[in-house]
Every structure is written in structure tokens, then in C-alpha cells.
Amino acid sequence: MKHHLFAPTPPMGWNSWDCYGASVTEEEVRGNAQYMAEHLKPYGWEYVVVDIQWYEPGANSSRYRPFVPLEMDEYSRLMPAVNRFPSAADGQGFKPLAEYVHGLGLKFGIHIMRGIPRQAVHAASPILGSEATAREIAHPNSICPWNTDMYGVDASHEGAQAYYDSLFRLYAEWGVDYVKVDDIAASRLYGIHLPEIELIRRAIDRCGRDMVLSLSPGPAPVEHAQELASLANLWRMTDDYWDLWSLLLDMFDRCEQWYTHVAPGQWPDCDMLPLGHIGIRSVDGGAADRWTRFTRDEQRTMMSLWSIFRSPLMFGGELRDNDEWTQSLLTNREVLDAHRYGERIRPASREEGRIVWTSIDSRTGDVYAALFNTAEETQTVTASWEALGLSGSRRVRDLWAGKDLGEAAGAVSLEVPPHGAVLLKLAE
């Protein structure tokens, strides 16, 4: 399908959630975009994504304020809060901010909630392109359990498609390149919302602009993998992911569930990278303003797993505060080549905390091998040629260290620190 061409490689970018929760401002978005253009764009980082509640004037953290007035136009469509996004004044919406991001050579994304604003439903506001009102298309029993902004949309009502069409035409006019839709891939109350995903897919196809479609939160049901791949570009395999070892350890199981569904334009999503300076105005993740709680070994494990699995990479920290270590995780070209060009991804072996994943570079045929140690003490991790499907001798290169380790035949064995990883390239 055509929409798979919108994201031929896994999207890479910055998202405002981990550091600013629902409260990010235009100045902060512009500052992170400028940093990305100057320091990360040459490495493939390109999306700048404004996360949830950009339409809530009083948002001040990741703790939502229930049932407060939201900024909305006359056709039931939420608009950026002008006190937080001054360039949105006079009905301009996100067009000026998107133009700024595009001017840096980057792409612009937004987060939206599934459904239609409750305040539009209670006011019976009109819908552009339909005689139906917001009240008539709402599904008032289809609510989000953790946010009060929206009612679901009744996909069987004739005005439902017109509403979503009007939304995505507006986003196309703004210049949006990426839309993250929440409370839709999985819900604590209702599971997956396929009818609304289908409405959104049609709306994007009709809007006249290429837009990457990301679905949240997870865990998305693997039994619906085929529908997800046919309708979206990426979908979350997990609920909100934070800087906790238990969540990172759990991701190995999730990747094993989903790796057969990784393909160009369809990316099972491990969620955000909670790296660098996070929690600035976010109270999620169990701690306030902080640098990531992951150790350096855990950070390298996360980047290695996300890269060999080919998850989208969405950095969650305040980019302008990055230190040299954090920057090194985002700008290792050899690691990012495994992320961009890997194919035939699979887990090769797993035994007592010693885990090996592998893929093949689509350009060169070189084999990537990621060696993980999820145990609490240093272990020797072995990647055998039998498990990797290899024969003969191979030149071994450590991609994080940026150094050649000589030749090996039959297997490669390395000491890996607890919670640590080594990412190798095995070349003929």
C-alpha cells in the first residue's frame, strides 16, 4: 500500500513527552528542533513531534487537568493553545511552527487523541462537510480511562468520516508530516479501536499530504498485526515505557513476539527513548526532574535492542541539555546503519540472561550480532556461527567501541557487563 512508502525506514526524531509531559511550549519545540537540525540531522534524525494536549492552555505537567476548557475552532477541531504557541494566533494553528521546522530541513509531527472533544459534543458543535453535529457522531460510552478530553466516535454514523476528514485536511494545511494517535492501538477498557483506525486511514489517504501514522499506546494485540500493518506505519508494543530496568528487560519478550512483522513502512514500536534530561515538567515514570535512571550499560542495551530490532527511535529528553555521552548514543553511524539497513531480524539464542539477536545489512550482506547480558553479574556471551547461520571466518568489529576485534570462526565470545550489550558487525 502507498502509505508504507511514507516511512520506508523506522522514523527517528524527538518527542516532547518525556521531558515536558502535556505542557511543552513553542519556544521549547523550536529550540529542540534547532538543536536537531544542527547536531542530529546528518545522522538521520528528522521528526519533531509535539505530544499530547497542545490545545490545553493550562497544562503544566503530565498530570492532566480533568474537564477543563480546550481551544477549539467552530467545527469541533482542537487548536493550539495560543498562550503556549503564540504563532498559532488568528487561526493559524500549527502552520507557522511547521514552516519553521520545515525550514530547518526537518519534519513536523503532532499527537492527537482518538475521538471528538467532549466540549464539542456537549455544545452540539457543527462538523465541517456534514450536517451531523458532534453530539450525533459521538460514542459517549467510548471514553479514555486516563484522559477526559474526548469521546470516541461512532464509526457507523455518516458524519464520522467527515469529522476525521476535516481534521486531517486541517493538519495537511498546517504541514503536518507525522500524527501519533493515542488511546487507539490498545485501551484499558476496550482493546483495539479498529473502526476509528480505519476512519483515520481513509482521512489521511484523502487529505492530500503524506503523513506517517503512529498508533498508541500498547501493548497492541499481536493477533491484529495484519490489520495494523495495513492501516498504520508504526504501533506501540508496550504501554508507556520509562527508564526502569524491569521495563527494558520486558522488551526482549515483546520483540520476540513482534519481530516477524517488521517490514518497510510497518514498524512495531518499542516506544520512546527516556534518555538524557527528562521529567522536567513530567511526573510520569515515577520521578520528577532528572537525568535518565538507566546506567550507561542499560542505555547501550536499549539503543542496541531498539536498533537491531528496527524500532522507531524517538528521543525523549531535552536535547539542548545533552552531554557528550548521550550525544554519542545518537550519533554512532555504524549502529544507526544497523537500524536503517538491517533485514531478516531475529533472535538467535537466549539462555540464562545471555541473549543474541541478529540481522543482515541489506547493502553489504554483513551480519550484525547484538550480544546482551540481562543478568546481575558479568557473563561471557557467545554468538555461534550455527545460531547466526554463518560459515567460514569473519572479521569482527565492535560498533559501539568503533574498533576491529580481529577474525573469528565458528563463534565469537565476549565478556558483557551486567545489563550491558555489545553490538558487532561480522564481515567476510
Side-chain angles (χ1 to χ4, degrees):
M1 287 182 65
K2 180 172 176 280
H3 78 267
H4 285 150
L5 302 177
F6 301 170
T9 58
M12 299 167 60
W14 174 82
N15 176 297
S16 58
W17 174 253
D18 283 0
C19 48
Y20 295 114
S23 71
V24 73
T25 66
E26 180 167 356
E27 181 277 326
E28 289 157 346
V29 175
R30 286 176 181 251
N32 278 275
Q34 186 174 6
Y35 183 96
M36 183 184 291
E38 290 177 10
H39 301 283
L40 298 177
K41 183 171 175 276
Y43 299 90
W45 300 86
E46 61 177 345
Y47 289 97
V48 175
V49 182
V50 179
D51 210 84
I52 194 167
Q53 282 201 322
W54 37 265
Y55 44 79
E56 209 278 74
N60 54 32
S61 78
S62 56
R63 202 173 272 130
Y64 308 114
R65 303 187 317 136
F67 304 109
V68 292
L70 310 174
E71 293 212 15
M72 189 179 80
D73 75 359
E74 66 270 32
Y75 293 113
S76 310
R77 300 178 297 187
L78 294 168
M79 301 293 284
V82 174
N83 65 319
R84 291 169 50 200
F85 298 92
S87 70
D90 304 319
Q92 294 223 78
F94 273 131
K95 188 173 184 181
L97 182 54
E99 286 176 350
Y100 174 79
V101 172
H102 293 154
L104 297 171
L106 302 172
K107 295 180 179 178
F108 180 68
I110 61 172
H111 171 293
I112 66 170
M113 294 292 292
R114 168 186 73 88
I116 189 161
R118 291 193 193 202
Q119 70 186 46
V121 174
H122 297 161
S125 299
I127 291 166
L128 189 62
S130 174
E131 293 186 3
T133 67
R135 184 174 295 172
E136 290 168 314
I137 72 163
H139 192 326
N141 194 37
S142 180
I143 58 171
C144 173
W146 42 266
N147 177 281
T148 61
D149 295 343
M150 315 294 268
Y151 288 120
V153 164
D154 179 354
S156 68
H157 196 285
E158 59 182 0
Q161 188 66 59
Y163 166 68
Y164 273 115
D165 287 352
S166 74
L167 273 191
F168 282 87
R169 277 200 306 273
L170 178 66
Y171 303 156
E173 290 166 12
W174 287 349
V176 171
D177 305 296
Y178 179 110
V179 180
K180 173 183 173 182
V181 187
D182 214 335
D183 189 42
I184 198 163
S187 165
R188 291 172 202 167
L189 293 177
Y190 312 102
I192 193 168
H193 291 275
L194 278 173
E196 285 196 74
I197 299 173
E198 290 166 350
L199 293 175
I200 290 166
R201 175 76 266 149
R202 280 194 291 272
I204 294 175
D205 291 344
R206 296 171 177 179
C207 79
R209 185 176 180 85
D210 293 352
M211 288 184 203
V212 172
L213 176 58
S214 164
L215 303 179
S216 284
V222 73
E223 61 268 26
H224 287 291
Q226 196 169 346
E227 296 102 316
L228 288 162
S230 71
L231 295 168
N233 299 104
L234 51 147
W235 53 90
R236 286 257 297 276
M237 311 187 302
T238 175
D239 202 346
D240 282 7
Y241 172 82
W242 283 102
D243 48 333
L244 298 168
W245 171 247
S246 60
L247 298 180
L248 176 49
L249 181 60
D250 178 61
M251 202 62 71
F252 286 92
D253 294 337
R254 296 182 188 275
C255 290
E256 284 189 19
Q257 274 194 314
W258 280 101
Y259 74 92
T260 58
H261 302 286
V262 175
Q266 56 183 70
W267 309 109
D269 181 7
C270 296
D271 198 19
M272 308 263 297
L273 297 166
L275 293 170
H277 188 190
I278 59 176
I280 298 168
R281 291 198 302 276
S282 176
V283 294
D284 270 28
D289 193 347
R290 67 189 186 277
W291 281 71
T292 184
R293 292 171 295 200
F294 281 138
T295 66
R296 288 190 171 189
D297 284 321
E298 289 166 351
Q299 292 174 55
R300 195 170 271 179
T301 289
M302 178 172 63
M303 286 299 298
S304 299
L305 181 60
W306 269 233
S307 294
I308 200 155
F309 180 76
R310 304 191 78 195
S311 171
L313 300 179
M314 285 289 166
F315 186 85
E318 168 51 76
L319 285 171
R320 294 169 292 181
D321 293 341
N322 277 1
D323 58 8
E324 189 177 340
W325 164 261
T326 306
Q327 196 68 1
S328 75
L329 294 172
L330 308 182
T331 56
N332 185 312
R333 289 191 188 278
E334 293 181 287
V335 171
L336 293 174
D337 279 352
H339 179 254
R340 181 169 288 262
Y341 299 112
E343 61 180 19
R344 288 150 67 184
I345 303 154
R346 62 183 177 86
S349 61
R350 183 170 185 172
E351 183 183 5
E352 294 181 349
R354 300 184 295 273
I355 302 172
V356 178
W357 277 72
T358 187
S359 67
I360 296 174
D361 190 309
S362 60
R363 306 163 303 167
T364 64
D366 292 341
V367 171
Y368 294 108
L371 282 57
F372 300 98
N373 175 16
T374 62
E376 300 303 315
E377 61 283 323
T378 297
Q379 294 198 98
T380 298
V381 182
T382 298
S384 73
W385 271 209
E386 183 181 6
L388 297 175
L390 295 178
S391 59
S393 67
R394 291 272 171 156
R395 289 178 287 116
V396 182
R397 182 166 174 80
D398 182 331
L399 302 187
W400 284 117
K403 67 179 183 182
D404 295 321
L405 303 182
E407 293 214 0
V412 59
S413 296
L414 292 168
E415 276 202 353
V416 183
H419 297 192
V422 178
L423 185 55
L424 302 175
K425 183 168 73 173
L426 309 174
E428 286 188 285

